[in-house]
Amino acid sequence: MTASLTGDCVIELTNIVGERYITDDPVTRFTYTRDASLFGGTQAALIVRPGSTDEVSRIAALCNRHHVPIVTRGGGATIYGQPKGDPERTVLLDMTRMDRVIEVNTAGMTVTAEAGIIMGKLVHACKKEGCYIYAPFAPVHIVSLGGWMSGAAGAASLWPDIVSITVVLADGTIVQTGGGPGTNVHQPIFYNRNLGGPDFAGIFIGDGGSFGIKTEATIRITTYPTKLKAGIFAFDEIEPALELVRLHVERRPVQRFDPVLVFGAGAMKNFMGDSDEIAPFTVQAMIQGHDEAEVEARLAIINSLADQCGGKHNFMLDAMAEAMGTPTGEESEMDWMAIFNSFGIPAWLPFTFPRQGFAEVYKKLIVWRNERLNEAEKLGLHLRTTWEFFTSTDPSTIIGEIDSFFADVDKPEAIAFARTLMADFQKYAHSLGSIDVYNQGFMADLNASCWSPGFRRLFEAVKGAVDPNGILNPGLWTGSYLNEKEGSNG
Amino acid sequence: MADTAFRELDRVRRFIYSCRTCGVCRYKITEKVPYVCPVKKASPGFENFSSRGKIMLAQALLEGALEPSAGLARAAYSCTLCGNCMTQCGATDQDTGKPLVDNTAVVEALRADLLRESPGLVDEAYHRVLANTRQYGNPWGMPRSARGKWAKGLKLKDAQKEHAEVLLFTGCTMALNPQLSQRARKAAAVLKQAGVDFAVLGNAEPCCGSVQKRTGAFELARDMMNSNIKQFNSLGCAVIVTLCAGCCNMLKTEYAKTDEKLAPKVYHLVEYLSRLVKDKKIAFTKEQHMTVAYHDPCHLGRHLGIFNPPRDILRALPGITLVERVATREHTICCGAGGGMRLFDGGALAVDMGREALQAARAAGAQAIVSACPFCETNLETAAQGFDAPFPVYDIIDLIYDAAELNG
């Protein structure tokens, strides 16, 4: 692939989206070379903000004909960076103009939206109709639906709820997966993901945008749980805390309304200051439901399980639990981004491990991290805080993080250290059996580095079939981040 | 370029590097926040129109990754300085407890460095405002002799000749715009009726320096502040009451940062009158049957936290029903006039933003919109002219004056 972006191609692109939504202005292009990560955004020759699936289809077909690479960007909210792009040739699609909620179907319990929508808008649109979209563990105000489906394995736990995805393939073909209008099964209503053939939605989830450009999706919703109760318990050791997690997730495979979250002492300091009451492990059970009796019953169960495991109560934890269950009349969603942003330069250290044997792995991770934090201190860097957290998304898996935040926000060496720490941590976690959920930038490279020959062959076969010219997000999964010393953001 | 080329950006580098460029300022939506940035909504919406994009550009200048350019100047001046990005970000500095990133300070610093070091990159419209200030003492190019005309025939005390407890400070926009200066007369009539001992400066009233500071002419604004403080302090008044939200914010906030301090206490008219209304010093005799939405001027609301006084007044006016838009109080979306946006691209984006403000008011059930800032009102009036149905725009003093059945 060597073709460049010709003047004719630019004119055709302009005709597709209109002059207002295409630019080659260097200043505008520069702002897309960075994102929320320490690893960097995309170098592009053109930034385009398409407004519809049809426009995306025409853009893809045109770029495919001219062998012009396309990088797709949602909220620009990665933690591991984006495809690096080529400042001479890459067309970057800023998908966030495609942010319409197409339908909240309260009869069929689905919501259909354009893929550039930021999750917060989607959550809000559903909530207005009394509905709930399961969007856990991620900052909803900055990630797009498309980015979430593409850049995270299992679409960050949305996976079981995705009914249909509309995808534009590299040649401009528009595909709708699942059973519904325009798909392989001509039903008037989107309602089932698996009808009429193989579950092709799955290949586009966590693909990093390599197999197609997502433009719309239909997601299953439930009625909004208006009641919230919490139980918070202290543990001195990780083993009994994990036992509580096990007892909980073995009863309920997908814990939509009642996650059990385990926080380390560093994380709890951010809630409780230097209180003597902070335990090494604090387990927080969030119980959401539709009426008092339901949540009380489920809270009683978790209280009983916690008792079995030796979970302790104290005044502060009980007060926190009580406060969490008290409706304030205000929006209850905690703004995690505001909290984390206040901490300084983040070294995000997330992981995904088997629940089985996790206690030993966790101890190793903490030892590894603390050694690196000692190293940072010797370099004169100032650690602001740490954030240890894990939970189980299913009976088999633990996800979590042991993040560290540095106060030296304007020191390039702090940024470089945090970036290296993130990269080294993932390599270490990989050596212990972690495959992290993020299929973005550096992490996609690392995940691809451990593919078996068979898996790689399957990946390449699919990629070759849907994107024979390799124009979609080129560079992803290929080691472009692994092979470099430094990222480019900051 | 020498290191000093970005000295103002360097002064706010802590804000610039504290920003994690996460994008909350570009995308956040909640029940009370339909969107964050009015410029991003009215514009094509590329990153450089968002607050995060501007922070990235400021970083790039400090790091030498970008050179000043016309495109960069456009990015710097496409901002209302409303501060909603800062509010919605919500992150606080762990050391000071203040907002982690003062986006408005960063944009102002960006403008200041560009204007000082690369003036040719900055649109002529902004230079005209500064040239007007130097020549006429006001940004609008009106002769100094026109400034006191609004008070003609009112027989008000001259603050330079007679002592008064209160200085009524009209501000350039209210004093010099014939469409708005009636409101200054109304304010004077209301204060008179309430028995307030006040005086005015007439043609000697200076420009507060707000427009110049927001445009990035920091040195000019500093000189104006220093001169004004001497003038105000020499009058012996205890209180300055402003009619303009921008003047009020300037006098309260920026003047507090100077070496010589401003002696009089500063209030916006709504703050001052709300106490008089509460103390029944103003009699409201006429009912006005109307449902209105109050538009919080950014300078008065988000920047100074003055939300209740105007609402208290409106609720006290007979026949007036106050409704709130979805985005209200600290979540208010700027009308579009802030930050010199009426000078950007001929004001087209500003008018689009104004139209959004009016539509939000109508959606809330309002028949009219009320504000307390001549900049907001001018832009909303312009937007209303292109609206699909008449939608009156009032200054709160209009409604007070009418309810009190005054003649001024």
Side-chain angles (χ1 to χ4, degrees):
Chain A
M1 189 173 67
T2 55
S4 62
L5 202 50
T6 63
D8 285 350
C9 189
V10 174
I11 290 167
E12 282 192 62
L13 284 168
T14 307
N15 289 338
I16 291 170
V17 296
E19 274 184 34
R20 183 174 164 85
Y21 295 111
I22 183 168
T23 183
D24 63 354
D25 167 46
V27 170
T28 307
R29 285 159 50 207
F30 181 86
T31 56
Y32 288 85
T33 65
R34 300 189 177 197
D35 71 353
S37 77
L38 301 178
F39 288 83
T42 303
Q43 303 269 353
L46 282 175
I47 314 294
V48 180
R49 300 193 76 222
S52 67
T53 297
D54 178 61
E55 285 184 9
V56 173
S57 167
R58 290 161 65 198
I59 291 166
L62 176 68
C63 290
N64 194 47
R65 275 201 306 278
H66 292 270
H67 290 216
V68 168
I70 295 174
V71 169
T72 312
R73 173 164 160 141
T78 74
I79 69 169
Y80 291 113
Q82 300 187 326
K84 291 176 178 303
D86 179 336
E88 301 297 321
R89 301 190 301 134
T90 296
V91 170
L92 185 145
L93 299 187
D94 174 346
M95 295 295 289
T96 56
R97 189 175 152 223
M98 291 181 63
D99 70 342
R100 285 166 286 242
V101 176
I102 295 166
E103 183 190 29
V104 180
N105 177 357
T106 54
M109 298 310 286
T110 58
V111 59
T112 301
E114 291 181 320
I117 193 169
I118 298 299
M119 290 303 292
K121 180 175 179 180
L122 189 57
V123 166
H124 176 56
C126 292
K127 193 175 173 185
K128 271 207 306 197
E129 301 297 326
C131 295
Y132 180 83
I133 183 166
Y134 184 52
F137 311 132
V140 295
H141 292 311
I142 60 175
V143 294
S144 69
L145 174 59
W148 213 331
M149 291 190 293
S150 300
S157 299
L158 260 185
W159 179 82
D161 295 331
I162 297 170
V163 176
S164 172
I165 307 174
T166 301
V167 185
V168 172
L169 303 183
D171 67 356
T173 302
I174 299 170
V175 180
Q176 284 174 299
T177 68
T183 67
N184 50 324
V185 176
H186 295 279
Q187 294 291 344
I189 298 169
F190 288 97
Y191 69 102
N192 194 298
R193 172 164 160 174
N194 304 312
L195 293 180
D199 175 14
F200 276 144
I203 68 165
F204 295 106
I205 296 172
D207 71 334
S210 291
F211 294 156
I213 303 166
K214 294 164 190 68
T215 57
E216 291 176 16
T218 298
I219 314 291
R220 215 178 288 292
I221 52 180
T222 59
T223 52
Y224 196 88
T226 54
K227 305 297 177 190
L228 171 67
K229 296 274 182 190
I232 306 182
F233 320 99
F235 290 88
D236 293 330
E237 305 288 343
I238 188 171
E239 286 82 359
L242 265 176
E243 178 63 5
L244 173 54
V245 171
R246 182 185 74 82
L247 291 172
H248 180 68
V249 296
E250 285 182 357
R251 298 169 63 101
R252 186 183 291 271
V254 177
Q255 37 179 322
R256 178 172 308 263
F257 287 156
D258 47 1
V260 169
L261 315 171
V262 184
F263 294 94
M268 291 307 290
K269 272 188 183 176
N270 295 298
F271 295 124
M272 298 170 70
D274 287 325
S275 167
D276 294 337
E277 303 284 349
I278 295 175
F281 297 93
T282 302
V283 178
Q284 185 175 298
M286 303 273 287
I287 310 293
Q288 296 176 89
H290 297 81
D291 59 58
E292 289 287 338
E294 177 193 353
V295 293
E296 286 290 359
R298 294 205 336 257
L299 183 61
I301 292 169
I302 197 75
N303 276 328
S304 166
L305 296 177
D307 281 348
Q308 278 183 49
C309 299
K312 289 177 282 191
H313 290 265
N314 65 46
F315 174 76
M316 282 187 80
L317 296 183
D318 287 347
M320 283 171 70
E322 183 70 23
M324 288 169 73
T326 307
T328 62
E330 300 291 321
E331 288 179 352
S332 60
E333 61 195 76
M334 187 178 281
D335 203 337
W336 289 107
M337 283 315 297
I339 294 169
F340 286 129
N341 286 346
S342 299
F343 292 160
I345 298 169
W348 303 110
L349 308 179
F351 52 76
T352 306
F353 280 103
R355 186 175 53 74
Q356 191 177 359
F358 177 70
E360 291 310 308
V361 168
Y362 181 80
K363 289 171 189 170
K364 287 180 185 173
L365 295 176
I366 293 291
V367 168
W368 184 95
R369 183 200 66 181
N370 290 348
E371 283 174 2
R372 294 301 296 268
L373 294 182
N374 288 339
E375 189 187 315
E377 195 178 347
K378 285 176 191 158
L379 292 170
L381 303 179
H382 297 97
L383 180 73
R384 167 88 70 191
T385 190
T386 60
W387 183 272
E388 306 86 4
F389 156 79
F390 61 84
T391 188
S392 222
T393 52
D394 58 56
S396 312
T397 313
I398 291 280
I399 64 166
E401 50 205 278
I402 51 168
D403 311 318
S404 306
F405 298 84
F406 298 97
D408 322 89
V409 291
D410 60 350
K411 275 191 182 172
E413 56 269 35
I415 293 168
F417 186 89
R419 192 165 47 216
T420 305
L421 182 59
M422 287 177 67
D424 289 350
F425 175 79
Q426 288 305 331
K427 289 173 190 167
Y428 178 65
H430 258 232
S431 75
L432 298 176
S434 171
I435 298 288
D436 200 31
V437 298
Y438 296 101
N439 292 331
Q440 317 157 338
F442 168 82
M443 201 63 222
D445 282 0
L446 191 60
N447 284 337
S449 72
C450 66
W451 287 349
S452 68
F455 192 93
R456 180 172 297 281
R457 198 170 148 208
L458 174 62
F459 177 90
E460 287 169 356
V462 174
K463 176 75 172 169
V466 295
D467 181 17
N469 294 323
I471 65 164
L472 298 180
N473 283 0
L476 200 67
W477 312 103
T478 62
S480 60
Y481 274 97
L482 274 184
N483 296 332
E484 70 165 16
K485 290 272 185 199
E486 284 290 317
S488 60
N489 215 16
Chain B
M1 189 166 284
D3 289 341
T4 55
F6 304 116
R7 68 181 190 221
E8 299 299 342
L9 283 177
D10 198 52
R11 285 194 179 115
V12 294
R13 65 183 295 123
R14 175 131 189 117
F15 293 141
I16 293 170
Y17 283 99
S18 290
C19 177
R20 305 265 51 92
T21 61
C22 69
V24 163
C25 58
R26 191 173 183 216
Y27 300 121
K28 186 174 178 180
I29 288 176
T30 71
E31 286 171 36
K32 293 168 188 163
V33 184
Y35 54 95
V36 178
C37 178
V39 174
K40 188 237 168 190
K41 180 158 173 76
S43 71
F46 293 105
E47 281 280 5
N48 54 317
F49 288 107
S50 72
S51 187
R52 157 169 84 167
K54 294 179 203 317
I55 296 274
M56 290 173 180
L57 295 174
Q59 286 178 0
L61 281 176
L62 285 175
E63 292 159 10
L66 272 184
E67 289 289 317
S69 65
L72 204 131
R74 274 184 63 76
Y77 283 88
S78 60
C79 175
T80 62
L81 300 174
C82 71
N84 199 27
C85 45
M86 183 165 61
T87 298
Q88 303 310 334
C89 166
T92 51
D93 188 310
Q94 298 270 305
D95 299 324
T96 65
K98 292 180 178 173
L100 183 73
V101 183
D102 185 339
N103 309 62
T104 60
V106 173
V107 172
E108 284 184 13
L110 183 54
R111 291 177 178 187
D113 283 337
L114 288 171
L115 193 64
R116 191 187 63 254
E117 298 293 328
S118 311
L121 300 175
V122 176
D123 192 281
E124 172 56 28
Y126 302 98
H127 287 292
R128 203 158 47 241
V129 159
L130 301 176
N132 285 338
T133 304
R134 291 186 182 98
Q135 186 172 354
Y136 300 106
N138 65 75
W140 312 134
M142 299 291 283
R144 289 173 207 270
S145 58
R147 185 150 195 131
K149 275 188 181 170
W150 68 269
K152 194 174 175 188
L154 294 182
K155 297 179 181 166
L156 304 179
K157 273 188 178 180
D158 182 340
Q160 293 186 112
K161 295 176 183 166
E162 297 175 81
H163 175 267
E165 187 71 8
V166 172
L167 172 69
L168 178 61
F169 187 81
T170 50
C172 302
T173 307
M174 195 76 97
L176 292 165
N177 183 330
Q179 272 84 51
L180 301 176
S181 58
Q182 276 298 321
R183 287 168 178 164
R185 293 176 72 88
K186 290 176 182 178
V190 171
L191 290 174
K192 261 189 186 177
Q193 198 230 16
V196 176
D197 175 28
F198 72 99
V200 296
L201 279 165
N203 290 341
E205 184 181 272
C207 172
C208 71
S210 174
V211 167
Q212 297 74 14
K213 170 80 173 19
R214 311 307 164 205
T215 302
F218 282 10
E219 285 173 25
L220 175 60
R222 206 169 296 131
D223 290 346
M224 294 166 77
M225 281 192 282
N226 289 334
S227 164
N228 293 349
I229 287 171
K230 284 185 174 48
Q231 184 184 8
F232 292 143
N233 287 353
S234 72
L235 300 175
C237 60
V239 167
I240 296 175
V241 172
T242 74
L243 300 182
C244 170
C247 298
C248 187
N249 188 24
M250 186 71 184
L251 292 173
K252 282 195 181 203
T253 309
E254 301 295 338
Y255 281 50
K257 298 174 188 168
T258 55
D259 293 336
E260 187 178 352
K261 300 301 175 206
L262 186 62
K265 285 199 75 169
V266 178
Y267 297 99
H268 187 274
L269 185 72
V270 293
E271 288 177 283
Y272 198 78
L273 289 187
S274 70
R275 288 191 301 182
L276 296 176
V277 168
K278 195 177 171 192
D279 295 344
K280 312 259 186 242
K281 295 281 175 61
I282 306 169
F284 297 128
T285 50
K286 183 182 170 187
E287 285 204 9
Q288 303 166 89
H289 295 286
M290 188 163 44
T291 300
V292 302
Y294 177 71
H295 174 85
D296 290 283
C298 302
H299 283 298
L300 206 56
R302 199 155 29 234
H303 294 310
L304 290 175
I306 299 168
F307 298 113
N308 290 330
R311 288 174 171 79
D312 292 344
I313 292 172
L314 288 169
R315 287 194 190 99
L317 298 178
I320 294 290
T321 302
L322 176 64
V323 292
E324 298 287 355
R325 292 177 297 184
V326 170
T328 187
R329 299 174 70 92
E330 71 269 29
H331 303 300
T332 296
I333 309 285
C334 177
C335 71
M341 280 302 291
R342 281 176 64 82
L343 301 175
F344 185 85
D345 277 356
L349 286 186
V351 174
D352 286 347
M353 290 183 250
R355 200 171 298 121
E356 292 282 346
L358 297 179
Q359 278 166 351
R362 189 161 65 182
Q367 299 162 306
I369 194 164
V370 184
S371 195
C373 172
F375 285 86
C376 300
E377 290 147 18
T378 304
N379 197 52
L380 292 170
E381 288 275 11
T382 310
Q385 286 162 20
F387 222 39
D388 51 10
F391 202 82
V393 178
Y394 295 107
D395 187 292
I396 195 166
I397 196 65
D398 295 327
L399 303 186
I400 296 168
Y401 181 86
D402 286 349
E405 295 188 275
L406 297 174
N407 295 304

